[in-house]
Amino acid sequence: RSCGVDVDALETLETDKGAWLVYREKQSGQAATELLPEIVKQALAALPIPKRMRWGSLSEEFVRPVHWLILMLGDEIIPASLLGVQSNQLSYGHRFHHPQAIRISSPQTYAPQLLSEGHVMVDFAERREAIRGQVKELASQLGGQAIIDDELLDEVTGLVEWPVALSGEFEKRFLELPSQALISSMQGHQKYFPVEDAAGKLLPFFITVCNIESRDPAQVIAGNERVILPRLSDAAFFWDTDRKRPLADRQEQLKTIVFQNQLGTVFDKSQRVAKLAGFIAGKIDGDIALAERAAMLAKCDLVTEMVGEFPELQGIMGNFYAR
């Protein structure tokens, strides 16, 4: 059945493990142009997309709506209909710089054509390094060096087709906050690259990567400076609000946070860690009381406003608030 033939068409193969039923068939090769549409279709279906979407009245599903499709072998167009789109050799450039169609000559010329004609930097790695270079150069002009987080760099690379880095400024009064809070706000909310001096001290600048070569970059910069003000103001508010109470006063709040059903609350965990810390401190001639106190304070910043907004700062803000 699996071979689509009658039992009479099978052969018997004798081996040292016994007899096996075997079917032999010769399959002639097919042209790549005939095979490729199905290969691509299977590859797309196998992509690990957790939530697919439909668009218009089509039944096809993909991660995002598909508007055009190029399928070529050499300079030959492979006719196919995938995800509701018929293949041809037309692509499109940057939606503002070059929204017109671009006729792709061959797979080899795809990336160069989009770069030279369409204002689209196709290659991810090339675009990533272009952004890194622009950000570093701009930070140097500002008298500092950019803080480039690799994950943020990847994210920004995926957001733009024609990267143009621009720098902006924020009020120096915000530098009174812990630099980690400012950096988290700039990186997490705005996708900005912060700038620091040679000593690692934060400077009142940020670098943003636009997806357009604006005719009036000053307007773009002003817009970004307006947007960052309320973000940093929020961080300043969290900082001022959290410091109205000593960190140790927050221990009671830990009783409301379940650590694990059978292991109790975060407060219960802190008590267990405090006993362990005190025990270890006693074995290594450390200060038992300080070790226990450190353990009891260690999780208190989980219930602060700052860590509630920026979970990645847990432990870091506890250090500032404890001091």
Side-chain angles (χ1 to χ4, degrees):
R1 266 200 306 274
S2 66
C3 299
V5 297
D6 295 329
V7 177
D8 296 344
L10 303 180
E11 300 174 25
T12 303
L13 178 66
E14 296 287 346
T15 71
D16 54 357
K17 293 183 179 178
W20 299 83
L21 288 174
V22 176
Y23 177 65
R24 303 179 194 274
E25 179 188 38
K26 272 191 177 180
Q27 286 189 344
S28 57
Q30 286 180 265
T33 51
E34 296 173 18
L35 293 171
L36 276 170
E38 186 59 30
I39 291 172
V40 174
K41 187 177 181 179
Q42 289 176 10
L44 292 174
L47 286 175
I49 303 170
K51 195 176 249 188
R52 295 171 181 263
M53 65 180 289
R54 290 194 297 270
W55 57 96
S57 59
L58 299 175
S59 60
E60 282 84 356
E61 296 180 345
F62 198 53
V63 65
R64 285 290 184 271
V66 176
H67 296 283
W68 64 87
L69 168 69
I70 302 177
L71 198 56
M72 300 179 72
L73 184 62
D75 58 1
E76 181 183 353
I77 300 171
I78 301 173
S81 180
L82 295 170
L83 300 173
V85 183
Q86 186 64 39
S87 64
N88 57 36
Q89 63 185 111
L90 297 180
S91 187
Y92 293 82
H94 192 284
R95 60 182 296 190
F96 296 118
H97 288 304
H98 195 289
Q100 300 87 356
I102 300 171
R103 186 172 292 277
I104 304 301
S105 303
S106 72
Q108 289 81 4
T109 66
Y110 170 66
Q113 278 188 262
L114 280 181
L115 182 65
S116 60
E117 299 175 44
H119 273 69
V120 173
M121 199 175 287
V122 172
D123 187 87
F124 186 89
E126 182 185 342
R127 195 163 68 247
R128 190 178 194 270
E129 291 315 303
I131 293 171
R132 189 198 299 275
Q134 288 185 36
V135 170
K136 280 186 172 182
E137 174 63 27
L138 211 46
S140 178
Q141 293 173 17
L142 294 168
Q145 53 196 25
I147 300 173
I148 301 179
D149 176 81
D150 282 340
E151 283 189 16
L152 176 61
L153 181 59
D154 281 345
E155 187 175 357
V156 171
T157 303
L159 291 173
V160 298
E161 293 179 315
W162 190 255
V164 178
L166 297 172
S167 65
E169 195 169 354
F170 59 86
E171 296 175 29
K172 290 182 179 178
R173 64 184 174 93
F174 290 119
L175 294 177
E176 296 173 8
L177 276 68
S179 61
Q180 290 93 332
L182 299 178
I183 290 169
S184 282
S185 183
M186 283 188 269
Q187 291 179 335
H189 285 149
Q190 302 306 129
K191 315 305 176 192
Y192 293 163
F193 295 95
V195 181
E196 61 184 8
D197 62 18
K201 186 179 179 184
L202 206 62
L203 295 173
F205 303 112
F206 63 88
I207 296 172
T208 182
V209 178
C210 305
N211 189 32
I212 191 171
E213 212 166 299
S214 174
R215 289 192 294 267
D216 190 0
Q219 290 272 32
V220 180
I221 292 168
N224 279 277
E225 289 177 342
R226 277 197 304 274
V227 170
I228 199 175
L229 177 60
R231 291 298 191 186
L232 297 186
S233 296
D234 284 348
F237 172 78
F238 298 145
W239 171 244
D240 292 337
T241 302
D242 288 340
R243 288 183 301 147
K244 289 177 181 176
R245 292 174 58 192
L247 189 65
D249 281 6
R250 299 181 182 274
Q251 287 180 9
E252 282 296 308
Q253 283 178 264
L254 298 181
K255 293 179 179 179
T256 65
I257 305 173
V258 175
F259 167 57
Q260 200 272 346
N261 264 339
Q262 294 169 303
L263 297 174
T265 64
V266 174
F267 180 82
D268 297 328
K269 178 185 179 178
S270 297
Q271 286 188 307
R272 291 194 294 271
V273 175
K275 287 180 183 177
L276 285 168
F279 174 78
I280 294 170
K283 293 290 184 181
I284 59 174
D285 296 325
D287 189 314
I288 295 175
L290 280 181
E292 290 177 345
R293 179 164 173 77
M296 288 305 296
L297 290 176
K299 299 297 180 184
C300 288
D301 69 351
L302 290 177
V303 290
T304 62
E305 298 285 342
M306 188 75 84
V307 173
E309 182 70 17
F310 304 108
E312 68 273 16
L313 293 181
Q314 57 185 277
I316 296 171
M317 293 312 301
N319 178 21
F320 286 106
Y321 294 146
R323 291 178 187 279

